[in-house]
Amino acid sequence: MRIAIDAMGGDNAPRTTVEGALLAAREWSDVQIILVGDEAQIAAFMPTGSVPANVTVHHASDVIAADDEPVRAVRRKKDASMVVAGRLIREGAADAMISAGNTGALMTTGLLIVGRIDGIERPALAPMLPTMDDSGVLALDLGAYMDASPHNLLQYAVMGSIYRNKVHGLQKPRVGLLNVGTEAMKGNELTKQAYPLLEQAPIHFIGNVEARDVLQGACDVLVCDGFVGNILLKSMEGTAGTIFSVLKTEFTRSFFSKLAAAVLKPGLVAFKKKMDYNEHGAAPLLGIEGLVLKSHGSSDANAIKNAVRQARIALASRLVEAISTETGRKRDGKE
Amino acid sequence: MRIAIDAMGGDNAPRTTVEGALLAAREWSDVQIILVGDEAQIAAFMPTGSVPANVTVHHASDVIAADDEPVRAVRRKKDASMVVAGRLIREGAADAMISAGNTGALMTTGLLIVGRIDGIERPALAPMLPTMDDSGVLALDLGAYMDASPHNLLQYAVMGSIYRNKVHGLQKPRVGLLNVGTEAMKGNELTKQAYPLLEQAPIHFIGNVEARDVLQGACDVLVCDGFVGNILLKSMEGTAGTIFSVLKTEFTRSFFSKLAAAVLKPGLVAFKKKMDYNEHGAAPLLGIEGLVLKSHGSSDANAIKNAVRQARIALASRLVEAISTETGRKRDGKE
């Protein structure tokens, strides 16, 4: 398995990406890691004389910045590390790529450089959101497309279901449609039209799921358009962040409250960590003719190593081929 | 000021509605309260011989249940307390109505019985959501319409701004558009098209507001369609509810944690109450030719009294007339 890592993407790249790559290469000998980026900068973090044989460097002279306009950056910076990593997949020199860089640019790289799976109208970014039962929920789309058609939601549902089956081993992932009520006819025009499509899809559709039940683990795959998904995620983050900051204030109010806080802290720190969706691995960009994983910008070496673990499982399970087959099957069925 | 109260609406009606009406009538002698509902049931909660002179009962033989289908119920149950209260406004026998009953039916009563303000395409339900600085944010629409047009959002913005000015005395309410980023061109088709309309409206439009900043009091009026507003509200409620239930578990984990919890409890209970949007008064149904206020179904007598307080202020400030004038002005300007 050849996994290209965008060495220059992320807040602390290339230190974290190189260190993560080395950790992964040492752990899994069946993996060939290709670090894509500026040779000199990468070399600075490589241990002299003891680089594992399954790590190579592929030079790329340019970098896409966090605040670059995605489409323009991907089109113009042809030698940017992210774009070059995408090209390695396109040309058959890599099977997967991982980047902690600019999200919009990575989606554009997936779309324009790697290419969509035939029949997929729109790729979807699918991070895992935390749930209280620790199993998590794959939510899609949480990418750059704000509006979606009912048919887009159908494809998100099928791709998400295949991902949870192949990569997480769930036999029958419960797919839910994010909505304002559980009854079938609830919702806006989009969800009302998507509902019957999801009912007929080759998935285990459990119906509408309300926003308040997502955290409780109401489903394994949550389907929504990018706008609503973003509102959901950000309001969960905002509320949790606000409550934790109030707790912090309460905890430091007096001598006794500081003492009390010390008792409660371990449990709450663990809980806070659980609520942090950045802890829940890299997000796959589904619907692309190759495996593309988005790691969080603040990823440390361990997060990069974990993304390699995810890529390994996805490649071994032939995720992309499964999505492609399912889409092809449906397309052929229609014709 | 003549305020009709749907005596039969709410979880604990007519006890709470009658008790609340009595509290309000005793506090404000300039208010004439009309309790609408079953005479016999209302009488059971009236104090013998000491009913304030400014409380009267208007008999209505029927009731709309919490699970009645709204439109059908309003059309068929012509003598339901809620419908009769609406008719009192329509016929000029009351200036305002308050109901803690079926929300959808109240919106339908507003629309079909009381009637829309000329020029308003769609009335909006506008509850106050809590913010950390205690000032709260009026969010609309959080009613029964799931989809909205850019022009609907414009009207929501104008009505919400007038409400906060007239009823809460804000000189220059900050109106924000709920969106996925603060830049002007962010969002879905709806918000992108609404943005320039809001820029040109006679309001203090501060631009896009992200879901995570709502709780921090980023704006005084938050504009969104009903679907997205519901997702926002329910994910905030769901997250807060989940965190508080985890805290409860942590607090009872051991002898020491119980001790610690006792120290922290007062501050946290106050905070939890602050986060509960049901504590933040009745929600006006804006865009109706009369004042219609929705109290929460679980309202106690005090909440009903507070709704009367709200109605008094809105009537004194001539809220409905102000919305009507603004809408008329714009309509005339267009023609």
Side-chain angles (χ1 to χ4, degrees):
Chain A
M1 304 178 183
R2 299 154 306 164
I3 301 173
I5 296 180
D6 169 13
M8 314 309 284
D11 303 345
N12 301 303
R15 187 176 56 73
T16 44
T17 46
V18 173
E19 288 174 3
L22 294 170
L23 288 174
R26 289 190 186 113
E27 178 116 2
W28 300 292
S29 58
D30 59 349
V31 159
Q32 177 69 34
I33 307 256
I34 310 162
L35 279 164
V36 184
D38 184 89
E39 256 174 346
Q41 288 188 56
I42 291 171
F45 297 101
M46 293 284 238
T48 356
S50 66
V51 174
N54 55 342
V55 175
T56 55
V57 176
H58 186 106
H59 180 69
S61 58
D62 211 346
V63 176
I64 291 180
D67 57 355
D68 273 349
E69 197 285 309
V71 178
R72 198 179 324 154
V74 171
R75 284 190 195 277
R76 294 194 186 170
K77 295 185 171 179
K78 295 191 192 305
D79 203 38
S81 55
M82 186 191 283
V83 175
V84 172
R87 209 178 298 131
L88 291 180
I89 301 183
R90 173 63 161 258
E91 293 167 353
D95 305 301
M97 74 172 282
I98 294 165
S99 176
N102 183 319
T103 307
L106 184 59
M107 295 196 66
T108 308
T109 297
L111 200 62
L112 300 185
I113 309 295
V114 186
R116 261 177 312 170
I117 290 174
D118 202 25
I120 292 290
E121 291 164 2
R122 194 178 272 185
L125 190 67
M128 288 290 287
L129 307 188
T131 60
M132 295 315 297
D133 59 4
D134 287 326
S135 52
V137 53
L138 188 86
L140 71 173
D141 176 34
L142 273 161
Y145 298 106
M146 291 296 117
D147 291 286
S149 70
H151 193 254
N152 291 150
L153 295 190
L154 167 64
Q155 293 195 327
Y156 298 168
V158 171
M159 293 193 295
S161 183
I162 293 174
Y163 184 86
R164 298 239 44 189
N165 173 252
K166 294 286 178 188
V167 176
H168 295 158
L170 302 187
Q171 285 309 306
K172 222 177 145 186
R174 296 163 303 149
V175 180
L177 177 63
L178 181 60
N179 212 327
V180 300
T182 52
E183 305 89 335
M185 279 317 295
K186 282 275 180 182
N188 56 12
E189 284 309 310
L190 174 63
T191 59
K192 281 188 206 168
Q193 288 178 35
Y195 195 99
L197 300 183
L198 295 177
E199 279 187 308
Q200 289 157 32
I203 54 173
H204 177 41
F205 179 51
I206 60 159
N208 293 323
V209 167
E210 285 196 75
R212 74 170 114 214
D213 299 325
V214 172
L215 254 180
Q216 300 300 326
C219 57
D220 303 309
V221 176
L222 182 70
V223 176
C224 55
D225 70 49
F227 188 86
V228 169
N230 180 288
I231 298 292
L232 173 83
L233 179 62
K234 295 292 171 62
S235 53
M236 286 166 69
E237 280 186 346
T239 306
T242 299
I243 295 178
F244 286 124
S245 86
V246 168
L247 284 178
K248 210 170 169 183
T249 309
E250 291 295 332
F251 282 0
T252 52
R253 197 177 283 284
S254 70
F255 172 73
F256 288 109
S257 66
K258 281 181 198 164
L259 218 60
V263 174
L264 297 168
K265 210 173 173 185
L268 294 180
V269 166
F271 172 63
K272 190 178 173 187
K273 198 167 171 178
K274 186 200 253 191
M275 291 283 291
D276 183 359
Y277 90 108
N278 296 332
E279 298 278 339
H280 292 255
L285 181 58
L286 299 175
I288 297 294
E289 268 292 6
L291 184 66
V292 177
L293 292 178
K294 168 73 180 88
S295 277
H296 197 264
S298 63
S299 294
D300 59 12
N302 216 44
I304 298 293
K305 178 190 161 190
N306 284 335
V308 173
R309 182 200 312 274
Q310 248 176 288
R312 249 183 108 245
I313 297 170
L315 289 174
S317 71
R318 306 189 64 75
L319 167 75
V320 174
E321 291 80 356
I323 292 175
S324 185
T325 305
E326 181 58 40
T327 321
R329 194 181 65 74
K330 297 198 64 181
R331 201 172 54 248
D332 296 344
K334 270 189 188 169
E335 283 164 5
Chain B
M1 303 177 184
R2 299 155 308 164
I3 301 172
I5 296 179
D6 169 13
M8 315 309 283
D11 301 346
N12 301 302
R15 187 175 57 73
T16 43
T17 47
V18 173
E19 288 174 3
L22 295 170
L23 289 174
R26 289 191 186 112
E27 176 117 0
W28 300 293
S29 57
D30 60 349
V31 159
Q32 177 69 35
I33 307 256
I34 310 163
L35 280 164
V36 184
D38 184 88
E39 256 175 346
Q41 288 189 54
I42 291 172
F45 298 102
M46 295 284 240
T48 355
S50 66
V51 173
N54 55 342
V55 174
T56 56
V57 175
H58 186 105
H59 180 68
S61 58
D62 211 346
V63 176
I64 291 180
D67 57 354
D68 272 351
E69 196 285 308
V71 178
R72 198 179 324 154
V74 171
R75 285 190 195 277
R76 294 192 185 171
K77 295 185 170 180
K78 294 190 193 307
D79 204 38
S81 55
M82 185 191 284
V83 175
V84 172
R87 209 178 298 129
L88 290 180
I89 300 184
R90 174 63 160 259
E91 294 168 353
D95 305 301
M97 74 172 282
I98 294 165
S99 177
N102 183 320
T103 306
L106 184 59
M107 298 197 64
T108 308
T109 297
L111 200 61
L112 301 185
I113 309 295
V114 185
R116 262 178 311 168
I117 290 175
D118 201 24
I120 293 289
E121 291 164 3
R122 193 178 273 186
L125 190 67
M128 288 291 286
L129 307 189
T131 61
M132 295 317 296
D133 59 3
D134 286 326
S135 52
V137 53
L138 189 87
L140 71 174
D141 177 32
L142 273 161
Y145 297 107
M146 290 298 116
D147 290 285
S149 70
H151 194 255
N152 292 151
L153 295 190
L154 167 65
Q155 293 194 329
Y156 298 167
V158 171
M159 294 194 294
S161 182
I162 293 175
Y163 184 86
R164 299 243 40 192
N165 173 252
K166 294 286 178 187
V167 177
H168 296 158
L170 301 188
Q171 285 309 305
K172 221 177 146 186
R174 296 164 302 151
V175 180
L177 178 63
L178 180 60
N179 212 327
V180 300
T182 53
E183 304 88 336
M185 279 318 296
K186 283 276 180 180
N188 57 11
E189 284 309 312
L190 173 63
T191 60
K192 281 189 207 167
Q193 287 177 33
Y195 195 98
L197 300 182
L198 295 177
E199 279 187 307
Q200 288 157 33
I203 54 172
H204 178 40
F205 178 52
I206 60 160
N208 293 323
V209 166
E210 285 196 75
R212 73 170 114 213
D213 299 324
V214 172
L215 255 181
Q216 300 300 327
C219 57
D220 303 308
V221 177
L222 182 71
V223 176
C224 56
D225 69 48
F227 188 85
V228 169
N230 180 288
I231 298 292
L232 173 81
L233 179 62
K234 295 292 171 61
S235 53
M236 286 167 69
E237 282 186 346
T239 306
T242 299
I243 295 179
F244 285 123
S245 85
V246 169
L247 284 179
K248 208 171 169 182
T249 310
E250 290 297 330
F251 283 180
T252 52
R253 196 176 283 283
S254 70
F255 172 74
F256 288 110
S257 66
K258 281 181 198 164
L259 219 60
V263 173
L264 297 169
K265 208 173 175 187
L268 293 179
V269 166
F271 172 64
K272 190 177 173 186
K273 199 167 171 178
K274 187 200 254 191
M275 292 282 292
D276 184 359
Y277 91 109
N278 296 332
E279 298 277 338
H280 291 255
L285 182 57
L286 299 175
I288 296 295
E289 269 292 4
L291 184 66
V292 177
L293 291 179
K294 168 73 180 85
S295 277
H296 198 263
S298 64
S299 293
D300 58 12
N302 217 43
I304 298 294
K305 180 191 160 189
N306 285 335
V308 174
R309 183 202 311 273
Q310 247 177 289
R312 246 183 110 245
I313 297 171
L315 289 174
S317 71
R318 306 189 64 74
L319 168 75
V320 175
E321 292 80 353
I323 292 175
S324 185
T325 304
E326 180 58 39
T327 320
R329 194 181 66 70
K330 299 198 61 183
R331 202 171 53 248
D332 295 345
K334 271 189 189 170
E335 283 165 6

